[in-house]
Amino acid sequence: MHTLNDELVEKDLKYIWHPCSQMQDYEELKPIIIKSGEGVNLYSMDGKKYIDVVSSWWCNLLGHCNKRISNAVKNQLDTLEHVIFANFSHPKAIELCERLVKVLPKGLEKFCFTDNGSSAIEAAMKMSFQYHYQTGNPQKTRFMALSDAYHGETIGALSIGGVDLYSEIYKPVLLDIIRIQGPDCYRCPYGLNCKNCQAQCIESAKECFKKWGDKTAAIVIEPLVQAAAGMKIYSPKYLSELRKLCNEYNVHLIADEIATGYGRTGKMFACDHAGISPDIMCLSKGLTGGYMPMALAVTTKKIYDAFYAPYNEGKAFMHSHTYSGNPLACAAACEVLKILRDENIIENAQKNAIYFNNLIKEKFSTHKNVGDIRSIGLINAIELVEDKATKKPFDSKLRIGYQIYKEALKKSVILRPLGDVIYFNPPLIIQKDDMDYVVNVAYECMKMIIN
Ligand SMILES: *Cc1c(COP(=O)(O)O)cnc(C)c1O
């Protein structure tokens, strides 16, 4: 029988080029058509339930179809859907900034609105270069970034990324970036443990700053968690050391908190673990609870002031996006901050995080192919290796992670490993029974694929 679901799958494959996909894979694993969502669950057209432990690409913060956020957007929808954001403004954008200033690291108080994470990174890079240009340092034209970094997919953002899977083929058209060998705690070259090391691996950054510091506008980093690289976690000490280097060499610290912000690491922002303030912070994903595409590049008054001058001096930041400050997105973002506060979401999630992490450790740590288990907040990652002693990875052609993903889907769990790193990054509202279920499924599926 040809069902409505079959028909939609057929049409989907006829028209849609899905993100980050080899479309030929869809011949075997058809697109799953989702009809509705509630809390951590998604429901498909063909009547299956899925637990969304990847928060729909790390953006869903408080569950699907959260009543409060939905109502906030509905109210806004009947009031004002969009307005040009040059010369014009609206109450929800202003409210959002006022609420954010109270929770952001000190000094971040000027808000530049964009409409996705990559574009916030681009805005931050341009802003940093122009600041230096207008304050007597036009030679600062370079950017630094860490190995294994991920900052998005547009040309500038992709350039500073260091994950070959995404950028290798485009190298001929990308910016020339100064690449710092970043922290790699599982395979630490110093043989140390990131829980109590002194971030000795900052050495590589020090050398780069010495050599290139006076030519560099900014360094862009993912604070504490390099998510796309496989949820690689490093010490807050590294962040505070970087902050010092940046001060010494007049290099901006751009913190990409697109994935780590909004309680994912157990604190509001990953930078809070180190008690540092970046010069520019980029936010997206959790910003709107995963409801609407919006992003921010938030900066200091010091940077803002370098652009503030009579018009004819040509110092303005001539950067814009059509949907800058979209009111629907701002309404969602305001409600998210209210919910985080009213319902003590981050504190409660942190209590559950301890349970979740223990559960994962108990289940996985003794398995012969589990090389590393790392966690921060509700983010937990399990790195599978062929040989635990040497930490030798599996041959990537085996696509172990992908096989596990397909098995888990059959058992109602959206796992979507990064390479051979199985990870959990659920909405902050996930409860213990769902944690039990997803950990069991992940373990069963792993055993099914690698014994
Ligand atoms: C997702 C992500 C981005 C890119 O955001 P998009 O909205 O997908 O462009 C940038 N940096 C980090 C750390 C991310 O996780």
mmCIF file of all heavy atoms in Angstrom, residues 139-187:
data_model
loop_
_atom_site.group_PDB
_atom_site.id
_atom_site.type_symbol
_atom_site.label_atom_id
_atom_site.label_comp_id
_atom_site.label_asym_id
_atom_site.label_seq_id
_atom_site.Cartn_x
_atom_site.Cartn_y
_atom_site.Cartn_z
ATOM 1 N N GLN A 139 47.822 46.534 10.058
ATOM 2 C CA GLN A 139 48.598 45.323 9.720
ATOM 3 C C GLN A 139 47.989 44.071 10.344
ATOM 4 O O GLN A 139 48.393 42.962 10.025
ATOM 5 C CB GLN A 139 50.066 45.493 10.160
ATOM 6 C CG GLN A 139 50.376 45.204 11.633
ATOM 7 C CD GLN A 139 49.835 46.262 12.618
ATOM 8 O OE1 GLN A 139 49.266 47.286 12.207
ATOM 9 N NE2 GLN A 139 49.986 46.014 13.907
ATOM 10 N N LYS A 140 47.009 44.251 11.235
ATOM 11 C CA LYS A 140 46.382 43.080 11.865
ATOM 12 C C LYS A 140 45.301 42.519 10.942
ATOM 13 O O LYS A 140 44.122 42.843 11.054
ATOM 14 C CB LYS A 140 45.806 43.456 13.237
ATOM 15 C CG LYS A 140 46.874 43.589 14.325
ATOM 16 C CD LYS A 140 46.218 43.857 15.667
ATOM 17 C CE LYS A 140 47.206 43.801 16.831
ATOM 18 N NZ LYS A 140 47.578 42.431 17.207
ATOM 19 N N THR A 141 45.729 41.688 10.027
ATOM 20 C CA THR A 141 44.817 41.162 9.007
ATOM 21 C C THR A 141 44.614 39.661 9.126
ATOM 22 O O THR A 141 43.870 39.063 8.353
ATOM 23 C CB THR A 141 45.378 41.426 7.593
ATOM 24 O OG1 THR A 141 46.668 40.817 7.506
ATOM 25 C CG2 THR A 141 45.491 42.919 7.313
ATOM 26 N N ARG A 142 45.294 39.014 10.073
ATOM 27 C CA ARG A 142 45.251 37.551 10.142
ATOM 28 C C ARG A 142 44.342 37.068 11.277
ATOM 29 O O ARG A 142 44.047 37.805 12.221
ATOM 30 C CB ARG A 142 46.668 36.993 10.387
ATOM 31 C CG ARG A 142 47.716 37.453 9.381
ATOM 32 C CD ARG A 142 47.508 36.863 8.006
ATOM 33 N NE ARG A 142 47.446 35.403 8.001
ATOM 34 C CZ ARG A 142 48.496 34.589 7.921
ATOM 35 N NH1 ARG A 142 49.719 35.079 7.856
ATOM 36 N NH2 ARG A 142 48.332 33.283 7.890
ATOM 37 N N PHE A 143 43.914 35.834 11.160
ATOM 38 C CA PHE A 143 43.120 35.197 12.215
ATOM 39 C C PHE A 143 43.787 33.906 12.655
ATOM 40 O O PHE A 143 44.400 33.216 11.845
ATOM 41 C CB PHE A 143 41.699 34.915 11.730
ATOM 42 C CG PHE A 143 40.913 36.169 11.477
ATOM 43 C CD1 PHE A 143 40.889 36.744 10.212
ATOM 44 C CD2 PHE A 143 40.235 36.800 12.511
ATOM 45 C CE1 PHE A 143 40.192 37.919 9.974
ATOM 46 C CE2 PHE A 143 39.535 37.978 12.283
ATOM 47 C CZ PHE A 143 39.510 38.537 11.011
ATOM 48 N N MET A 144 43.645 33.610 13.940
ATOM 49 C CA MET A 144 44.154 32.347 14.474
ATOM 50 C C MET A 144 42.972 31.470 14.882
ATOM 51 O O MET A 144 41.912 31.965 15.253
ATOM 52 C CB MET A 144 44.989 32.597 15.731
ATOM 53 C CG MET A 144 46.314 33.288 15.509
ATOM 54 S SD MET A 144 47.126 33.449 17.123
ATOM 55 C CE MET A 144 48.570 34.405 16.647
ATOM 56 N N ALA A 145 43.218 30.169 14.820
ATOM 57 C CA ALA A 145 42.195 29.221 15.293
ATOM 58 C C ALA A 145 42.898 27.936 15.705
ATOM 59 O O ALA A 145 44.080 27.730 15.408
ATOM 60 C CB ALA A 145 41.185 28.955 14.195
ATOM 61 N N LEU A 146 42.154 27.086 16.399
ATOM 62 C CA LEU A 146 42.738 25.851 16.925
ATOM 63 C C LEU A 146 42.548 24.683 15.954
ATOM 64 O O LEU A 146 41.615 24.668 15.148
ATOM 65 C CB LEU A 146 42.076 25.479 18.262
ATOM 66 C CG LEU A 146 42.142 26.505 19.391
ATOM 67 C CD1 LEU A 146 41.487 25.933 20.650
ATOM 68 C CD2 LEU A 146 43.587 26.914 19.684
ATOM 69 N N SER A 147 43.418 23.719 16.065
ATOM 70 C CA SER A 147 43.215 22.467 15.341
ATOM 71 C C SER A 147 41.873 21.870 15.779
ATOM 72 O O SER A 147 41.451 22.070 16.926
ATOM 73 C CB SER A 147 44.351 21.490 15.648
ATOM 74 O OG SER A 147 44.567 21.404 17.037
ATOM 75 N N ASP A 148 41.212 21.184 14.885
ATOM 76 C CA ASP A 148 39.926 20.533 15.179
ATOM 77 C C ASP A 148 38.774 21.494 15.484
ATOM 78 O O ASP A 148 37.741 21.099 16.016
ATOM 79 C CB ASP A 148 40.042 19.542 16.354
ATOM 80 C CG ASP A 148 40.657 18.226 15.909
ATOM 81 O OD1 ASP A 148 40.646 17.958 14.690
ATOM 82 O OD2 ASP A 148 41.133 17.473 16.776
ATOM 83 N N ALA A 149 38.972 22.781 15.149
ATOM 84 C CA ALA A 149 37.919 23.769 15.413
ATOM 85 C C ALA A 149 36.765 23.595 14.424
ATOM 86 O O ALA A 149 36.948 23.109 13.313
ATOM 87 C CB ALA A 149 38.484 25.178 15.267
ATOM 88 N N TYR A 150 35.580 23.997 14.849
ATOM 89 C CA TYR A 150 34.431 24.088 13.932
ATOM 90 C C TYR A 150 33.691 25.389 14.212
ATOM 91 O O TYR A 150 33.295 25.658 15.348
ATOM 92 C CB TYR A 150 33.461 22.910 14.111
ATOM 93 C CG TYR A 150 32.286 23.024 13.168
ATOM 94 C CD1 TYR A 150 32.364 22.517 11.874
ATOM 95 C CD2 TYR A 150 31.112 23.684 13.541
ATOM 96 C CE1 TYR A 150 31.312 22.659 10.980
ATOM 97 C CE2 TYR A 150 30.052 23.832 12.657
ATOM 98 C CZ TYR A 150 30.157 23.312 11.385
ATOM 99 O OH TYR A 150 29.118 23.454 10.500
ATOM 100 N N HIS A 151 33.502 26.203 13.178
ATOM 101 C CA HIS A 151 32.812 27.475 13.385
ATOM 102 C C HIS A 151 31.738 27.755 12.349
ATOM 103 O O HIS A 151 31.230 28.876 12.285
ATOM 104 C CB HIS A 151 33.836 28.612 13.435
ATOM 105 C CG HIS A 151 34.834 28.458 14.545
ATOM 106 N ND1 HIS A 151 34.509 28.625 15.876
ATOM 107 C CD2 HIS A 151 36.143 28.091 14.534
ATOM 108 C CE1 HIS A 151 35.580 28.396 16.630
ATOM 109 N NE2 HIS A 151 36.574 28.055 15.846
ATOM 110 N N GLY A 152 31.403 26.776 11.525
ATOM 111 C CA GLY A 152 30.340 26.983 10.547
ATOM 112 C C GLY A 152 30.815 26.713 9.138
ATOM 113 O O GLY A 152 31.944 26.256 8.923
ATOM 114 N N GLU A 153 29.960 27.032 8.178
ATOM 115 C CA GLU A 153 30.168 26.537 6.818
ATOM 116 C C GLU A 153 30.353 27.605 5.752
ATOM 117 O O GLU A 153 30.655 27.287 4.609
ATOM 118 C CB GLU A 153 28.980 25.654 6.414
ATOM 119 C CG GLU A 153 28.715 24.486 7.349
ATOM 120 C CD GLU A 153 29.751 23.384 7.267
ATOM 121 O OE1 GLU A 153 30.606 23.410 6.360
ATOM 122 O OE2 GLU A 153 29.708 22.490 8.137
ATOM 123 N N THR A 154 30.130 28.881 6.085
ATOM 124 C CA THR A 154 30.372 29.919 5.076
ATOM 125 C C THR A 154 31.888 30.080 4.924
ATOM 126 O O THR A 154 32.651 29.629 5.779
ATOM 127 C CB THR A 154 29.711 31.240 5.495
ATOM 128 O OG1 THR A 154 30.151 31.556 6.825
ATOM 129 C CG2 THR A 154 28.189 31.117 5.500
ATOM 130 N N ILE A 155 32.322 30.739 3.850
ATOM 131 C CA ILE A 155 33.752 30.712 3.514
ATOM 132 C C ILE A 155 34.662 31.184 4.663
ATOM 133 O O ILE A 155 35.648 30.520 4.970
ATOM 134 C CB ILE A 155 34.028 31.546 2.231
ATOM 135 C CG1 ILE A 155 33.291 30.923 1.029
ATOM 136 C CG2 ILE A 155 35.506 31.680 1.953
ATOM 137 C CD1 ILE A 155 33.924 29.676 0.455
ATOM 138 N N GLY A 156 34.295 32.297 5.309
ATOM 139 C CA GLY A 156 35.129 32.781 6.416
ATOM 140 C C GLY A 156 35.109 31.819 7.590
ATOM 141 O O GLY A 156 36.157 31.463 8.143
ATOM 142 N N ALA A 157 33.919 31.390 7.971
ATOM 143 C CA ALA A 157 33.767 30.486 9.114
ATOM 144 C C ALA A 157 34.422 29.132 8.827
ATOM 145 O O ALA A 157 35.068 28.538 9.693
ATOM 146 C CB ALA A 157 32.283 30.304 9.439
ATOM 147 N N LEU A 158 34.290 28.676 7.605
ATOM 148 C CA LEU A 158 34.886 27.395 7.215
ATOM 149 C C LEU A 158 36.407 27.491 7.233
ATOM 150 O O LEU A 158 37.093 26.538 7.607
ATOM 151 C CB LEU A 158 34.393 27.019 5.809
ATOM 152 C CG LEU A 158 34.647 25.586 5.341
ATOM 153 C CD1 LEU A 158 33.944 24.571 6.228
ATOM 154 C CD2 LEU A 158 34.185 25.421 3.889
ATOM 155 N N SER A 159 36.921 28.665 6.866
ATOM 156 C CA SER A 159 38.377 28.867 6.854
ATOM 157 C C SER A 159 38.979 28.659 8.234
ATOM 158 O O SER A 159 40.023 28.028 8.376
ATOM 159 C CB SER A 159 38.726 30.285 6.402
ATOM 160 O OG SER A 159 38.264 30.531 5.106
ATOM 161 N N ILE A 160 38.325 29.197 9.257
ATOM 162 C CA ILE A 160 38.901 29.074 10.597
ATOM 163 C C ILE A 160 38.640 27.700 11.187
ATOM 164 O O ILE A 160 39.292 27.293 12.128
ATOM 165 C CB ILE A 160 38.422 30.201 11.548
ATOM 166 C CG1 ILE A 160 36.911 30.297 11.545
ATOM 167 C CG2 ILE A 160 39.057 31.529 11.188
ATOM 168 C CD1 ILE A 160 36.394 31.302 12.523
ATOM 169 N N GLY A 161 37.721 26.947 10.599
ATOM 170 C CA GLY A 161 37.489 25.569 11.040
ATOM 171 C C GLY A 161 38.680 24.698 10.693
ATOM 172 O O GLY A 161 39.401 24.964 9.738
ATOM 173 N N GLY A 162 38.871 23.649 11.487
ATOM 174 C CA GLY A 162 40.033 22.786 11.259
ATOM 175 C C GLY A 162 39.659 21.315 11.128
ATOM 176 O O GLY A 162 40.493 20.444 11.334
ATOM 177 N N VAL A 163 38.394 21.052 10.812
ATOM 178 C CA VAL A 163 37.978 19.657 10.628
ATOM 179 C C VAL A 163 37.965 19.373 9.125
ATOM 180 O O VAL A 163 37.138 19.911 8.390
ATOM 181 C CB VAL A 163 36.574 19.393 11.243
ATOM 182 C CG1 VAL A 163 36.172 17.934 11.063
ATOM 183 C CG2 VAL A 163 36.547 19.775 12.724
ATOM 184 N N ASP A 164 38.924 18.550 8.677
ATOM 185 C CA ASP A 164 39.112 18.324 7.237
ATOM 186 C C ASP A 164 37.861 17.834 6.521
ATOM 187 O O ASP A 164 37.627 18.179 5.365
ATOM 188 C CB ASP A 164 40.246 17.324 7.000
ATOM 189 C CG ASP A 164 41.606 17.992 7.156
ATOM 190 O OD1 ASP A 164 41.638 19.237 7.211
ATOM 191 O OD2 ASP A 164 42.617 17.270 7.231
ATOM 192 N N LEU A 165 37.062 17.032 7.210
ATOM 193 C CA LEU A 165 35.850 16.486 6.599
ATOM 194 C C LEU A 165 35.009 17.579 5.941
ATOM 195 O O LEU A 165 34.417 17.388 4.886
ATOM 196 C CB LEU A 165 35.024 15.763 7.671
ATOM 197 C CG LEU A 165 33.673 15.182 7.270
ATOM 198 C CD1 LEU A 165 33.839 14.054 6.252
ATOM 199 C CD2 LEU A 165 32.921 14.656 8.498
ATOM 200 N N TYR A 166 34.979 18.744 6.571
ATOM 201 C CA TYR A 166 34.154 19.839 6.065
ATOM 202 C C TYR A 166 34.914 20.786 5.134
ATOM 203 O O TYR A 166 34.329 21.407 4.260
ATOM 204 C CB TYR A 166 33.554 20.647 7.222
ATOM 205 C CG TYR A 166 32.844 19.797 8.237
ATOM 206 C CD1 TYR A 166 33.318 19.683 9.540
ATOM 207 C CD2 TYR A 166 31.706 19.062 7.883
ATOM 208 C CE1 TYR A 166 32.682 18.875 10.473
ATOM 209 C CE2 TYR A 166 31.073 18.253 8.803
ATOM 210 C CZ TYR A 166 31.564 18.158 10.095
ATOM 211 O OH TYR A 166 30.941 17.356 11.005
ATOM 212 N N SER A 167 36.220 20.955 5.378
ATOM 213 C CA SER A 167 36.920 22.048 4.699
ATOM 214 C C SER A 167 37.950 21.619 3.660
ATOM 215 O O SER A 167 38.279 22.397 2.771
ATOM 216 C CB SER A 167 37.585 22.954 5.738
ATOM 217 O OG SER A 167 38.417 22.203 6.581
ATOM 218 N N GLU A 168 38.444 20.387 3.761
ATOM 219 C CA GLU A 168 39.567 19.956 2.916
ATOM 220 C C GLU A 168 39.410 20.374 1.453
ATOM 221 O O GLU A 168 40.263 21.036 0.880
ATOM 222 C CB GLU A 168 39.701 18.425 3.043
ATOM 223 C CG GLU A 168 40.829 17.812 2.226
ATOM 224 C CD GLU A 168 42.214 18.108 2.798
ATOM 225 O OE1 GLU A 168 42.297 18.475 3.983
ATOM 226 O OE2 GLU A 168 43.192 17.994 2.041
ATOM 227 N N ILE A 169 38.292 20.014 0.871
ATOM 228 C CA ILE A 169 38.130 20.218 -0.576
ATOM 229 C C ILE A 169 38.119 21.698 -0.979
ATOM 230 O O ILE A 169 38.484 22.055 -2.083
ATOM 231 C CB ILE A 169 36.854 19.495 -1.077
ATOM 232 C CG1 ILE A 169 36.826 19.498 -2.608
ATOM 233 C CG2 ILE A 169 35.588 20.086 -0.508
ATOM 234 C CD1 ILE A 169 35.855 18.506 -3.191
ATOM 235 N N TYR A 170 37.742 22.562 -0.024
ATOM 236 C CA TYR A 170 37.626 23.992 -0.353
ATOM 237 C C TYR A 170 38.906 24.781 -0.102
ATOM 238 O O TYR A 170 38.937 25.989 -0.322
ATOM 239 C CB TYR A 170 36.476 24.630 0.437
ATOM 240 C CG TYR A 170 35.166 23.886 0.292
ATOM 241 C CD1 TYR A 170 34.699 23.065 1.309
ATOM 242 C CD2 TYR A 170 34.423 23.980 -0.880
ATOM 243 C CE1 TYR A 170 33.510 22.360 1.170
ATOM 244 C CE2 TYR A 170 33.234 23.280 -1.033
ATOM 245 C CZ TYR A 170 32.779 22.468 -0.002
ATOM 246 O OH TYR A 170 31.616 21.780 -0.141
ATOM 247 N N LYS A 171 39.951 24.093 0.368
ATOM 248 C CA LYS A 171 41.198 24.785 0.742
ATOM 249 C C LYS A 171 41.638 25.842 -0.271
ATOM 250 O O LYS A 171 42.032 26.943 0.137
ATOM 251 C CB LYS A 171 42.337 23.773 0.990
ATOM 252 C CG LYS A 171 42.160 22.938 2.261
ATOM 253 C CD LYS A 171 43.012 23.428 3.436
ATOM 254 C CE LYS A 171 42.418 22.995 4.777
ATOM 255 N NZ LYS A 171 42.778 21.609 5.142
ATOM 256 N N PRO A 172 41.563 25.559 -1.584
ATOM 257 C CA PRO A 172 42.031 26.573 -2.549
ATOM 258 C C PRO A 172 41.287 27.913 -2.472
ATOM 259 O O PRO A 172 41.812 28.924 -2.929
ATOM 260 C CB PRO A 172 41.775 25.910 -3.910
ATOM 261 C CG PRO A 172 41.697 24.457 -3.635
ATOM 262 C CD PRO A 172 41.152 24.319 -2.246
ATOM 263 N N VAL A 173 40.084 27.931 -1.934
ATOM 264 C CA VAL A 173 39.335 29.192 -1.886
ATOM 265 C C VAL A 173 39.194 29.760 -0.470
ATOM 266 O O VAL A 173 38.502 30.744 -0.264
ATOM 267 C CB VAL A 173 37.927 29.055 -2.529
ATOM 268 C CG1 VAL A 173 38.049 28.714 -4.001
ATOM 269 C CG2 VAL A 173 37.077 28.014 -1.818
ATOM 270 N N LEU A 174 39.850 29.132 0.498
ATOM 271 C CA LEU A 174 39.684 29.591 1.887
ATOM 272 C C LEU A 174 40.772 30.590 2.296
ATOM 273 O O LEU A 174 41.822 30.679 1.670
ATOM 274 C CB LEU A 174 39.705 28.388 2.841
ATOM 275 C CG LEU A 174 38.580 27.359 2.652
ATOM 276 C CD1 LEU A 174 38.700 26.246 3.679
ATOM 277 C CD2 LEU A 174 37.210 28.007 2.740
ATOM 278 N N LEU A 175 40.487 31.359 3.376
ATOM 279 C CA LEU A 175 41.469 32.288 3.942
ATOM 280 C C LEU A 175 42.642 31.499 4.519
ATOM 281 O O LEU A 175 42.473 30.370 4.978
ATOM 282 C CB LEU A 175 40.835 33.084 5.094
ATOM 283 C CG LEU A 175 39.635 33.963 4.824
ATOM 284 C CD1 LEU A 175 39.129 34.544 6.149
ATOM 285 C CD2 LEU A 175 40.018 35.084 3.877
ATOM 286 N N ASP A 176 43.795 32.140 4.527
ATOM 287 C CA ASP A 176 44.988 31.518 5.095
ATOM 288 C C ASP A 176 45.024 31.808 6.596
ATOM 289 O O ASP A 176 45.246 32.939 7.013
ATOM 290 C CB ASP A 176 46.211 32.106 4.383
ATOM 291 C CG ASP A 176 47.470 31.371 4.791
ATOM 292 O OD1 ASP A 176 47.365 30.247 5.325
ATOM 293 O OD2 ASP A 176 48.555 31.940 4.588
ATOM 294 N N ILE A 177 44.786 30.778 7.387
ATOM 295 C CA ILE A 177 44.608 30.938 8.828
ATOM 296 C C ILE A 177 45.859 30.475 9.576
ATOM 297 O O ILE A 177 46.540 29.554 9.129
ATOM 298 C CB ILE A 177 43.400 30.072 9.284
ATOM 299 C CG1 ILE A 177 42.106 30.595 8.666
ATOM 300 C CG2 ILE A 177 43.281 29.993 10.801
ATOM 301 C CD1 ILE A 177 41.713 31.991 9.043
ATOM 302 N N ILE A 178 46.162 31.113 10.688
ATOM 303 C CA ILE A 178 47.262 30.641 11.529
ATOM 304 C C ILE A 178 46.697 29.567 12.453
ATOM 305 O O ILE A 178 45.860 29.843 13.311
ATOM 306 C CB ILE A 178 47.865 31.802 12.351
ATOM 307 C CG1 ILE A 178 48.394 32.876 11.388
ATOM 308 C CG2 ILE A 178 48.958 31.293 13.277
ATOM 309 C CD1 ILE A 178 48.581 34.224 12.039
ATOM 310 N N ARG A 179 47.139 28.347 12.245
ATOM 311 C CA ARG A 179 46.559 27.211 12.967
ATOM 312 C C ARG A 179 47.390 26.865 14.192
ATOM 313 O O ARG A 179 48.567 26.568 14.086
ATOM 314 C CB ARG A 179 46.476 26.008 12.023
ATOM 315 C CG ARG A 179 45.779 24.785 12.589
ATOM 316 C CD ARG A 179 44.286 24.946 12.708
ATOM 317 N NE ARG A 179 43.671 25.283 11.420
ATOM 318 C CZ ARG A 179 42.436 25.769 11.285
ATOM 319 N NH1 ARG A 179 41.676 25.955 12.342
ATOM 320 N NH2 ARG A 179 41.970 26.076 10.098
ATOM 321 N N ILE A 180 46.764 26.917 15.333
ATOM 322 C CA ILE A 180 47.441 26.554 16.585
ATOM 323 C C ILE A 180 47.110 25.107 16.917
ATOM 324 O O ILE A 180 45.948 24.702 16.841
ATOM 325 C CB ILE A 180 46.959 27.480 17.729
ATOM 326 C CG1 ILE A 180 47.398 28.922 17.458
ATOM 327 C CG2 ILE A 180 47.461 26.995 19.076
ATOM 328 C CD1 ILE A 180 46.817 29.933 18.425
ATOM 329 N N GLN A 181 48.137 24.332 17.282
ATOM 330 C CA GLN A 181 47.874 22.974 17.756
ATOM 331 C C GLN A 181 47.134 23.093 19.092
ATOM 332 O O GLN A 181 47.711 23.521 20.079
ATOM 333 C CB GLN A 181 49.212 22.234 17.904
ATOM 334 C CG GLN A 181 49.081 20.760 18.239
ATOM 335 C CD GLN A 181 48.281 19.981 17.196
ATOM 336 O OE1 GLN A 181 48.463 20.168 15.993
ATOM 337 N NE2 GLN A 181 47.359 19.147 17.650
ATOM 338 N N GLY A 182 45.854 22.755 19.102
ATOM 339 C CA GLY A 182 45.035 22.965 20.298
ATOM 340 C C GLY A 182 45.106 21.792 21.266
ATOM 341 O O GLY A 182 45.815 20.814 21.020
ATOM 342 N N PRO A 183 44.364 21.891 22.366
ATOM 343 C CA PRO A 183 44.367 20.820 23.359
ATOM 344 C C PRO A 183 43.808 19.520 22.775
ATOM 345 O O PRO A 183 42.905 19.561 21.956
ATOM 346 C CB PRO A 183 43.422 21.332 24.458
ATOM 347 C CG PRO A 183 43.162 22.752 24.151
ATOM 348 C CD PRO A 183 43.435 22.981 22.714
ATOM 349 N N ASP A 184 44.375 18.402 23.174
ATOM 350 C CA ASP A 184 43.874 17.097 22.748
ATOM 351 C C ASP A 184 43.987 16.174 23.963
ATOM 352 O O ASP A 184 44.940 15.424 24.114
ATOM 353 C CB ASP A 184 44.729 16.574 21.576
ATOM 354 C CG ASP A 184 44.112 15.325 20.948
ATOM 355 O OD1 ASP A 184 43.102 14.818 21.496
ATOM 356 O OD2 ASP A 184 44.642 14.868 19.926
ATOM 357 N N CYS A 185 43.002 16.276 24.848
ATOM 358 C CA CYS A 185 43.166 15.694 26.185
ATOM 359 C C CYS A 185 43.176 14.166 26.192
ATOM 360 O O CYS A 185 43.856 13.562 27.010
ATOM 361 C CB CYS A 185 42.098 16.253 27.116
ATOM 362 S SG CYS A 185 42.248 18.044 27.258
ATOM 363 N N TYR A 186 42.446 13.541 25.295
ATOM 364 C CA TYR A 186 42.458 12.069 25.260
ATOM 365 C C TYR A 186 43.819 11.559 24.796
ATOM 366 O O TYR A 186 44.353 10.587 25.309
ATOM 367 C CB TYR A 186 41.329 11.573 24.354
ATOM 368 C CG TYR A 186 41.322 10.077 24.092
ATOM 369 C CD1 TYR A 186 41.568 9.162 25.110
ATOM 370 C CD2 TYR A 186 41.041 9.587 22.813
ATOM 371 C CE1 TYR A 186 41.548 7.785 24.854
ATOM 372 C CE2 TYR A 186 41.013 8.230 22.552
ATOM 373 C CZ TYR A 186 41.275 7.331 23.570
ATOM 374 O OH TYR A 186 41.256 5.986 23.306
ATOM 375 N N ARG A 187 44.382 12.252 23.800
ATOM 376 C CA ARG A 187 45.701 11.838 23.304
ATOM 377 C C ARG A 187 46.742 12.903 23.675
ATOM 378 O O ARG A 187 47.504 13.366 22.836
ATOM 379 C CB ARG A 187 45.643 11.618 21.793
ATOM 380 C CG ARG A 187 44.708 10.469 21.392
ATOM 381 C CD ARG A 187 44.663 10.248 19.884
ATOM 382 N NE ARG A 187 43.882 9.056 19.532
ATOM 383 C CZ ARG A 187 42.559 9.041 19.374
ATOM 384 N NH1 ARG A 187 41.859 10.152 19.541
ATOM 385 N NH2 ARG A 187 41.941 7.912 19.070
#
